[in-house]
């Protein structure tokens, strides 16, 4: 078993964040408005300059409701078909909601190459848009897949339906075991955090609530980093991350998160929860 | 009464070729609502209700999709909810003036949803006291921009910020108001359908205006807390009323029998969602399976059930 472990800082490095910001600003300033505009060519060039991205449709599946029920909580799942990956090892996966004010919703970094890179999360969708996932292989090749989602208003939807309660529980985490595939089945981390977008109105002051969102979610098993997620405002309130442990991994799970105001929260579970 | 919609259209019509189009768009809501009083049912002595359309808000119904009404006392009138647009509010006012010339002392909003509150503006000139739950003003302000955008999408540029008249008399517990030998009991609920639910009980006739704490025939929509709503129903069923005016559905229904359908639906959603969570089911699995046996029992089921399940799942996963 070959484990490639990189320091956390590598994954939360500033250039990436700067790139996300520049992309957001660049698009706001330069993109022509209009419902039918395809932002992807510009977005792609901004996020992966000069690189060729080929279709990953033969082994990547992106699942999202065609018409979202709640634009602030749109479940998105990216599954990889290991049997058809033909030696491709995924180093990172970028989830992009093309028409959101900050299009990059999350970047999943995989420090180990024995991990099924299938992941899921919940995003906000601001207007009818394509949602893209771009997988970067360890050899540098890029693969993309997209679906169209009909939803609107997710970024400005009020923070929570019962004000006050969420704040009292900020930073609380849950580890959920999904499905019944034994220890190797998918897990889900839930993190109580408003993940404010900067586009929501304060119910009392009538000013916009400053953006306040999860920047990094690091998941360790047996002390080793197995998944590092860069978040942004497009992740839903109380962010959820579905993932799988590396094959044969038997250690306890620790999760550390850091938000954009520098607050950090930790949680640990001795072993993946039993059924 | 001059119709402000028409007045605005005439101004816009100065643009020449634009006249025909604007009149075609704007005449309809006026002729359908503001110029014609709403057709009210007198469901009990001095209690009048307009039954909203069981539909989404459209230009045709001018947002008149919620049940709204008024109660006439010896000295004054209380309006309970005002409809989803200025035009519906004006038509309600016209209907009141067919019945009585007494002053409109109170306009009570049962919660902040636009189909219940956007007609408030039609009553400003009557100088009533606008009454709502203590949580209503901040909740409405937080949503005002998206509600306005949605209203303009459906009703056109006639929809304006001026329609957002926020109650200034706020209720946090229980309060009795008097219309002249006619007491109305107002009760503010903890988060249930929304975080701003207020009920009105007319003691003289035993008529409960439940707002959207009670849905009949149209599928309930969870915009607060499913656990809170179930708790509210438990408390509501003890209210000594004879009949209820639900937020949506028939103008009047027997009490407390009218609670049965909604209670069954919400309990089922909570129970099936908890089962999915217990076996590690995802949000996607929940929205694809929970509540489906209720499909033929409610109008607009396909538009709201999965959304309700999303609300229930994201609440109950933290239990």
């Amino acid at each position: 078993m070959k484990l490639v472990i990189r320091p956390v800082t590598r994954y939360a490095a500033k250039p990436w964040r700067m790139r996300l910001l520049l992309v957001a600003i660049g698009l706001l300033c330069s993109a022509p408005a209009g419902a039918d505009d395809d932002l992807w060519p510009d977005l792609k060039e901004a996020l992966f300059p000069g690189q060729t991205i080929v279709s990953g449709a033969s082994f990547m599946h992106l699942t999202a409701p065609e018409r979202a029920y709640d634009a602030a909580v749109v479940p998105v799942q990216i599954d990889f078909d290991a049997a058809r990956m033909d030696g491709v090892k995924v180093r990172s996966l970028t989830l992009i909601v093309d028409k959101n004010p900050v299009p990059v919703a999350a970047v999943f970094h995989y420090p180990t190459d024995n991990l099924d890179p299938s992941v899921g999360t919940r995003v906000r969708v601001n207007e009818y848009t394509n949602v893209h996932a771009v997988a970067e292989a360890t050899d540098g090749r890029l693969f993309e897949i997209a679906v169209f989602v009909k939803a609107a208003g997710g970024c400005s939807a009020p923070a929570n339906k019962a004000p006050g309660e969420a704040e009292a529980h900020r930073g609380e985490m849950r580890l959920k075991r999904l499905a019944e595939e034994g220890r190797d089945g998918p897990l889900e981390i839930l993190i109580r955090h408003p993940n404010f977008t900067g586009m929501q109105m304060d119910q009392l002051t009538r000013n916009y609530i400053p953006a306040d969102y999860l920047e990094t979610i690091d998941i360790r098993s047996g002390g080793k980093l197995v998944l590092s997620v860069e978040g942004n405002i497009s992740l839903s309130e109380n962010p959820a991350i579905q993932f799988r442990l590396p094959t044969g991994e038997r250690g306890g799970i620790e999760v550390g998160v850091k938000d954009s105001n520098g607050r950090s929260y930790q949680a640990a579970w001795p072993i993946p929860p039993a059924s | 009464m001059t119709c402000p919609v028409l007045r605005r259209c005439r101004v816009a019509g100065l643009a020449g070729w634009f006249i025909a189009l604007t009149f075609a768009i704007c005449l309809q809501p006026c002729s359908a609502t503001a110029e014609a009083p709403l057709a009210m049912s007198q469901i009990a002595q001095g209690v009048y209700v307009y039954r909203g359309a069981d539909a989404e808000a459209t230009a045709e119904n001018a947002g008149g999709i919620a049940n709204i009404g008024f109660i006439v006392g010896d000295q004054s009138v209380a309006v309970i909810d005002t409809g989803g647009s200025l035009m519906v509010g004006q038509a309600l006012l016209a209907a009141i003036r067919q019945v009585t010339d007494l002053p409109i002392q109170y306009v009570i909003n049962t919660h902040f949803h636009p189909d219940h509150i956007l007609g408030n503006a039609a009553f400003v000139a009557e100088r009533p006291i606008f009454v709502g739950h203590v949580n209503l003003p901040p909740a409405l302000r937080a949503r005002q921009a998206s509600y306005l955008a949605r209203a303009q999408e459906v009703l056109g540029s006639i929809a304006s910020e001026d329609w957002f008249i926020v109650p200034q008399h706020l209720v946090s517990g229980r309060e009795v108001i008097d219309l002249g030998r006619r007491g109305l009991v107002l009760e503010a609920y903890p988060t249930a359908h929304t975080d701003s639910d207020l009920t009105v009980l007319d003691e003289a006739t035993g008529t409960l205006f439940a707002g959207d704490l009670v849905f009949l025939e149209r599928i309930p929509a969870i915009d607060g807390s499913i656990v809170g709503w179930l708790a509210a129903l438990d408390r509501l069923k003890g209210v000594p009323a004879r009949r209820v005016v639900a937020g949506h559905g028939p103008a009047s229904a027997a009490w407390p029998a009218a609670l049965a359908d909604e209670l069954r639906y919400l309990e089922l959603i909570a129970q099936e969602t908890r089962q999915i969570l217990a076996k590690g089911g995802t949000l996607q699995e929940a929205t694809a399976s929970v509540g489906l046996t209720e499909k033929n029992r409610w109008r607009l089921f396909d538009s709201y059930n999965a959304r309700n399940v999303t609300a229930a799942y994201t609440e109950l996963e933290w239990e």
Side-chain angles (χ1 to χ4, degrees):
Chain A
M1 183 172 67
K2 186 184 161 206
L3 281 182
V4 182
I5 303 173
R6 297 164 205 271
V8 189
T9 48
R10 156 87 206 267
Y11 304 104
K14 281 212 165 63
W16 246 106
R17 193 146 300 124
M18 187 61 78
R19 236 155 97 194
L20 304 192
L21 187 65
L22 290 175
V23 167
I25 293 169
L27 287 169
L28 286 175
C29 299
S30 66
D36 298 323
D37 292 330
D38 183 6
L39 301 180
W40 185 235
D42 288 346
L43 259 177
K44 186 156 81 168
E45 185 51 32
L47 291 170
F48 308 97
Q51 292 173 272
T52 303
I53 309 181
V54 300
S55 170
S58 61
F59 62 89
M60 293 171 75
H61 305 283
L62 177 51
T63 314
E66 187 195 344
R67 181 175 287 279
Y69 318 118
D70 182 342
V73 190
V74 180
V76 176
Q77 195 167 325
I78 303 108
D79 290 308
F80 289 82
D81 186 347
R84 311 184 75 175
M85 289 180 72
D86 197 22
V88 171
K89 300 281 183 196
V90 179
R91 180 160 63 193
S92 75
L93 180 71
T94 306
L95 178 64
I96 301 140
V97 184
D98 292 19
K99 291 198 176 175
N100 271 7
V102 179
V104 176
V107 186
F108 300 84
H109 298 279
Y110 306 95
T112 76
D113 63 3
N114 64 340
L115 174 75
D116 175 349
S118 299
V119 287
T121 187
R122 304 171 192 166
V123 299
R124 294 168 159 130
V125 173
N126 212 41
E127 56 180 301
Y128 287 19
T129 180
N130 275 319
V131 174
H132 278 89
V134 175
E136 181 191 20
T138 48
D139 61 11
R141 282 185 294 163
L142 296 173
F143 301 91
E144 69 172 58
I145 189 158
V147 295
F148 189 71
V149 174
K150 292 177 182 168
C155 292
S156 56
N160 54 71
K161 288 159 185 158
E165 200 205 327
E167 204 54 37
H169 294 277
R170 185 193 272 253
E172 191 182 314
M173 291 185 224
R174 292 277 167 93
L175 176 65
K176 283 204 292 187
R177 168 199 166 88
L178 302 172
E180 292 164 12
E181 301 173 38
R183 298 175 58 103
D184 296 332
L187 301 171
E188 183 173 57
I189 298 283
L190 288 175
I191 304 140
R192 281 254 203 192
H193 195 283
N195 226 53
F196 287 128
T197 62
M199 298 169 63
Q200 295 151 298
M201 195 72 82
D202 185 301
Q203 301 206 3
L204 294 175
T205 66
R206 228 183 153 175
N207 294 320
Y208 286 104
I209 303 167
D212 178 2
Y213 54 90
L214 291 187
E215 276 187 348
T216 54
I217 302 163
D218 288 333
I219 301 170
R220 288 180 168 76
S221 180
K224 298 183 296 282
L225 188 66
V226 294
L227 179 63
S228 178
V229 186
E230 282 182 70
N232 214 296
I233 64 166
S234 293
L235 293 184
S236 300
E237 177 183 4
N238 298 334
I241 303 291
Q242 295 170 17
F243 65 102
R244 284 167 184 270
L245 287 176
T247 316
E249 177 54 57
R250 290 289 179 268
I253 293 176
E254 296 161 51
V255 177
V257 306
K258 204 173 128 203
D259 71 20
S260 54
N261 285 321
R263 284 169 295 210
S264 49
Y265 305 93
Q266 280 81 33
W269 296 267
I271 48 168
S275 53
Chain B
M1 185 173 56
T2 316
C3 168
V5 183
L6 277 181
R7 208 162 53 224
R8 287 190 194 196
C9 289
R10 287 197 182 105
V11 173
L14 292 175
W17 57 270
F18 203 48
I19 290 176
L21 176 64
T22 48
F23 265 67
I25 294 167
C26 297
L27 265 173
Q28 192 167 9
C30 284
S31 57
T33 57
E35 291 187 340
L38 286 180
M40 312 294 296
S41 308
Q42 185 173 184
I43 62 161
Q45 186 272 321
V47 182
Y48 298 80
V49 174
Y50 171 73
R51 187 211 201 284
D54 285 325
E56 300 286 17
T58 62
E60 288 68 37
N61 62 37
I65 60 170
N67 292 339
I68 59 180
F70 62 93
I71 299 172
V72 184
D74 276 3
Q75 282 154 20
S76 66
V77 177
V79 174
I80 299 148
D81 284 343
T82 56
S85 68
L86 173 67
M87 294 79 82
V88 175
Q90 288 169 332
L92 176 60
L93 177 57
I96 294 168
R97 289 302 170 227
Q98 284 189 324
V99 171
T100 176
D101 288 327
L102 287 173
I104 296 168
Q105 195 179 355
Y106 299 100
V107 171
I108 303 161
N109 292 126
T110 60
H111 60 296
F112 57 73
H113 282 155
D115 53 328
H116 295 259
I117 204 169
L118 293 187
N120 281 9
F123 293 89
V124 170
E126 304 289 321
R127 300 184 166 277
I129 298 167
F130 288 92
V131 181
H133 190 290
V134 68
N135 290 342
L136 193 154
L140 182 63
R141 285 187 196 118
R143 294 162 176 84
Q144 179 167 334
S146 64
Y147 285 176
L148 177 59
R150 173 77 183 137
Q152 288 176 335
E153 202 176 288
V154 172
L155 302 169
S157 59
I158 174 77
S160 89
E161 285 198 358
D162 302 341
W163 288 10
F164 291 79
I165 304 296
V166 176
Q168 68 277 63
H169 183 92
L170 304 178
V171 180
S172 55
R174 187 174 185 276
E175 190 175 323
V176 181
I177 57 175
D178 182 25
L179 306 179
R181 300 205 308 156
R182 187 158 202 161
L184 303 184
V185 182
L186 311 181
E187 283 199 67
Y189 278 72
T191 302
H193 166 64
T194 68
D195 72 355
S196 313
D197 302 312
L198 183 70
T199 60
V200 182
L201 176 65
D202 173 43
E203 291 186 306
T205 63
T207 304
L208 175 68
F209 281 77
D212 281 2
L213 282 176
V214 180
F215 280 71
L216 286 165
E217 299 180 8
R218 179 191 173 115
I219 186 171
I222 305 168
D223 195 16
S225 157
I226 189 168
V227 173
W229 201 343
L230 285 166
L233 292 187
D234 205 41
R235 174 174 154 192
L236 263 178
K237 72 184 182 205
V239 172
R242 281 196 282 280
R243 68 183 68 80
V244 64
V245 180
H248 298 269
S252 174
W255 186 258
L259 285 175
D261 284 349
E262 178 176 274
L263 182 63
R264 184 195 67 237
Y265 175 76
L266 293 176
E267 280 183 339
L268 182 78
I269 298 299
Q271 181 204 336
E272 292 188 352
T273 302
R274 286 187 174 118
Q275 282 168 357
I276 295 258
L277 283 164
K279 64 177 193 191
T282 61
L283 174 57
Q284 295 91 314
E285 288 168 81
T287 54
S289 67
V290 171
L292 296 187
T293 53
E294 290 280 312
K295 185 176 168 66
N296 296 321
R297 294 175 177 259
W298 299 98
R299 298 203 179 105
L300 300 177
F301 180 90
D302 290 337
S303 305
Y304 289 92
N305 185 64
R307 192 189 166 101
N308 287 337
V309 175
T310 302
Y313 185 101
T314 52
E315 176 182 352
L316 298 176
E317 70 184 345
W318 289 99
E319 276 187 329

